[in-house]
Amino acid sequence: MLIKVEHLSHAHDGRPALHGVGFTAQEGERLVLLGCNGSGKSTLLKIIDGLIPPDAGVVTYDDRPVDRAALADRPWRLRFRREVVLLFQDPAAMLFHPTVAEEVAFGPRQLGLDEPEARAVAWIERAGLAALRDRSPHALSRGEQQKVALASLLVLEPRLLLLDEPTASLDPRSTGWLVDLLQDLETTTVVATHSLSLAPELGSRCLVLGEDHTLLHDGPVPRPDADMDLLRRANLVHRHRHDHDGHVHRHDHVHDWE
Amino acid sequence: MKDRVLLLAALVGLGLLSSIHAPRTLGLALAAVLILSGRDAPVLLKRAACAVLLFSGAVSIVHAAVVLRSGGDPLPWLVSTNLRVLTMTSLTLLVARRVDLVQAAGCSRPLQFVVVLALAQIAVLRRLVRDFALALRSRGVDRPGLQTAVRYGGAVGAALLLKADHDATTVTQAMTSRGFFNDADQG
Ligand SMILES: Nc1ncnc2c1ncn2[C@@H]1O[C@H](COP(=O)(O)OP(=O)(O)OP(=O)(O)O)[C@@H](O)[C@H]1O
Ligand SMILES: [Mg+2]
């Protein structure tokens, strides 16, 4: 088992963000984390990445709890940072180098992989970012920033990839590029999204966080035709008003489902 | 190399300026800065004046009131202080334009990170201010009344503070996650 999350609860300044969340993931599994705005997706990913210590509960990575002691253990921490990476919801937060090339080479250099520059060049090519190589990451569009941030994580060839709404700023072609890229990887992934239509492409198993910050569902990706009840409880559907020939009627509607 | 020398010269200049009190010398220094700025001089002077108005305007008013009440002449202090601040601000703006700070900080990686981070923050905040202005424009307020302007200014200021604070936390988390505090070759 690669990750085990048990009874996780957390509040930001007294405002609840997660409540009693638990699940496990095997090596190689692809999980989608679905939930409405404010349900706690980003918080959960940051806790798994060891960035926020939870108020209660434990995250275990590769049989060792990700706690203060583990993170203080230098060799383990180095391994953890090399193997577990997080794409932030706001990719700009991750970019702090003068050029894209240096940005991508940072992780491998910092975490002691050999030939960081060569790895960076290879991943910049693979991610189709060659034209942006010498540009400043901060002058790029949000979608471009997202790709650069992703390349600077994939270059580490991580074992666990945590992605916080990776398609939020991508156009359809770039979204396709990302989906293909993820499907080619063997890496264990947890992808947060509120796009129901994209969820089946991002993973085979789905965790749904509710508005009350609890885990509502752990299983197959919900379908609007069969799982309306769950989707309604998770606040992922919208009550829609229609006007047909003078008759106004309302029904539930999943907005991004094509 | 060139950037580092320029930055150093400017820092020395700023140090000297802070110890000069004679209005005539300060006036000459301002003229020198403006001559060095060449074509940029008018823009630079305008920006510096705006910045000075914002920060030392209030101080000047209070100082003048206090001195006047005690029967003194506030003019010499007001002239030399405001002239000094104006000159120093112009010089700083000139440096920001002419010196590539990232290059100038190239001697030390940590320093360079700090500079890039600071510039990135400035870029993000500037973008936010521009977005605010665009949002205001798109909402059809051509010439906002005083009340709208005050509310808008307050909202922009508050948003900037919140964002700067939130960004600082998130950026630190992002840097931790990417192993910034984890040099492989140390220890
Ligand atoms: N830094 C913070 N300070 C205070 N409250 C926070 C902070 N970060 C998150 N919260 C709150 O915690 C709750 C969960 O937030 P989180 O960002 O994890 O949600 P999310 O599911 O990622 O939402 P979104 O879809 O909007 O990204 C929300 O109520 C949010 O307001
Ligand atoms: Mg989020």
Side-chain angles (χ1 to χ4, degrees):
Chain A
M1 200 174 314
L2 191 61
I3 356 172
K4 185 159 88 185
V5 172
E6 295 166 286
H7 315 294
L8 212 60
S9 292
H10 190 71
H12 295 282
D13 309 324
R15 197 171 299 135
L18 285 176
H19 188 78
V21 171
F23 65 93
T24 58
Q26 306 289 338
E27 182 106 50
E29 262 194 294
R30 286 151 37 83
L31 271 65
V32 186
L33 181 59
L34 215 52
C36 61
N37 289 132
S39 55
K41 302 181 294 295
S42 301
T43 306
L44 178 57
L45 294 181
K46 284 180 178 171
I47 293 177
I48 295 176
D49 197 31
L51 299 172
I52 305 179
D55 292 346
V58 189
V59 173
T60 311
Y61 172 73
D62 206 13
D63 297 327
R64 179 156 183 189
V66 183
D67 55 14
R68 196 185 289 267
L71 292 168
D73 171 7
R74 207 176 166 284
W76 190 85
R77 186 180 71 219
L78 193 63
R79 200 191 111 206
F80 184 73
R81 293 282 165 239
R82 225 181 253 165
E83 293 183 355
V84 182
V85 299
L86 166 63
L87 181 74
F88 279 64
Q89 187 163 2
D90 178 3
M94 302 174 55
L95 307 173
F96 47 92
H97 286 80
T99 66
V100 168
E102 284 177 73
E103 194 66 67
V104 179
F106 167 80
R109 185 175 333 105
Q110 188 72 4
L111 297 168
L113 301 187
D114 53 349
E115 303 191 38
E117 275 75 21
R119 284 170 191 268
V121 169
W123 268 98
I124 287 173
E125 287 289 331
R126 185 158 170 197
L129 298 171
L132 306 178
R133 225 168 102 170
D134 299 315
R135 299 265 308 270
S136 157
H138 288 280
L140 302 177
S141 81
R142 233 181 124 92
E144 290 168 334
Q145 285 183 339
Q146 211 145 24
K147 290 186 181 181
V148 170
L150 189 62
S152 64
L153 298 180
L154 292 178
V155 67
L156 289 170
E157 294 172 17
R159 206 167 150 203
L160 173 59
L161 187 56
L162 308 168
L163 305 176
D164 199 348
E165 307 202 12
T167 59
S169 308
L170 299 184
D171 60 28
R173 197 169 56 114
S174 302
T175 303
W177 163 87
L178 180 77
V179 168
D180 289 349
L181 193 73
L182 293 180
Q183 276 169 356
D184 288 345
L185 295 174
E186 311 266 289
T187 319
T188 313
T189 48
V190 182
V191 188
T193 182
H194 13 72
S195 167
L196 255 184
S197 55
L198 213 56
E201 311 209 43
L202 295 171
S204 44
R205 188 175 139 206
C206 184
L207 305 171
V208 180
L209 281 176
E211 233 181 346
D212 58 354
H213 315 290
T214 61
L215 193 60
L216 290 182
H217 169 86
D218 178 353
V221 178
R223 294 198 48 86
D225 43 7
D227 306 296
M228 205 37 133
D229 204 40
L230 169 66
L231 296 175
R232 208 178 289 130
R233 271 193 296 146
N235 222 2
L236 289 165
V237 284
H238 163 74
R239 215 142 159 83
H240 215 53
R241 200 178 69 191
H242 281 276
D243 197 339
H244 296 300
D245 312 319
H247 295 286
V248 176
H249 77 129
R250 290 167 185 275
H251 63 91
D252 288 323
H253 195 82
V254 178
H255 259 280
D256 67 339
W257 193 267
E258 57 250 47
Chain B
M1 194 61 205
K2 180 192 123 234
D3 292 299
R4 220 170 298 164
V5 170
L6 281 177
L7 184 62
L8 221 68
L11 288 176
V12 170
L14 285 174
L16 284 177
L17 276 173
S18 62
S19 59
I20 297 177
H21 292 274
R24 256 197 26 203
T25 321
L26 285 170
L28 283 176
L30 180 59
V33 171
L34 292 178
I35 289 167
L36 279 176
S37 342
R39 261 185 310 156
D40 296 336
V43 181
L44 217 70
L45 193 62
K46 198 178 111 196
R47 290 218 178 139
C50 285
V52 171
L53 208 68
L54 208 69
F55 290 108
S56 68
V59 178
S60 297
I61 291 170
V62 173
H63 177 85
V66 171
V67 174
L68 278 176
R69 201 182 268 186
S70 61
D73 177 10
L75 210 60
W77 186 89
L78 286 183
V79 170
S80 72
T81 301
N82 284 307
L83 205 54
R84 179 164 351 107
V85 175
L86 186 64
T87 312
M88 290 172 81
T89 312
S90 310
L91 182 57
T92 310
L93 290 177
L94 178 62
V95 169
R97 259 176 194 230
R98 294 291 155 80
V99 176
D100 184 342
L101 285 175
V102 176
Q103 288 302 322
C107 49
S108 127
R109 280 196 79 81
L111 184 62
Q112 197 170 29
F113 279 133
V114 171
V115 170
V116 174
L117 262 180
L119 291 179
Q121 284 276 328
I122 292 172
V124 169
L125 295 183
R126 211 189 252 166
R127 219 187 258 192
L128 186 64
V129 170
R130 213 182 36 215
D131 282 352
F132 259 109
L134 290 179
L136 187 66
R137 201 185 301 163
S138 87
R139 291 173 67 193
V141 189
D142 317 316
R143 208 171 297 149
L146 186 62
Q147 201 187 3
T148 314
V150 167
R151 262 193 214 150
Y152 168 75
V156 173
L160 287 182
L161 282 179
L162 282 177
K163 175 135 182 75
D165 179 43
H166 173 258
D167 281 359
T169 313
T170 316
V171 166
T172 314
Q173 285 174 343
M175 289 171 88
T176 311
S177 173
R178 294 189 62 197
F180 187 77
F181 305 106
N182 236 75
D183 276 290
D185 25 74
Q186 56 170 247

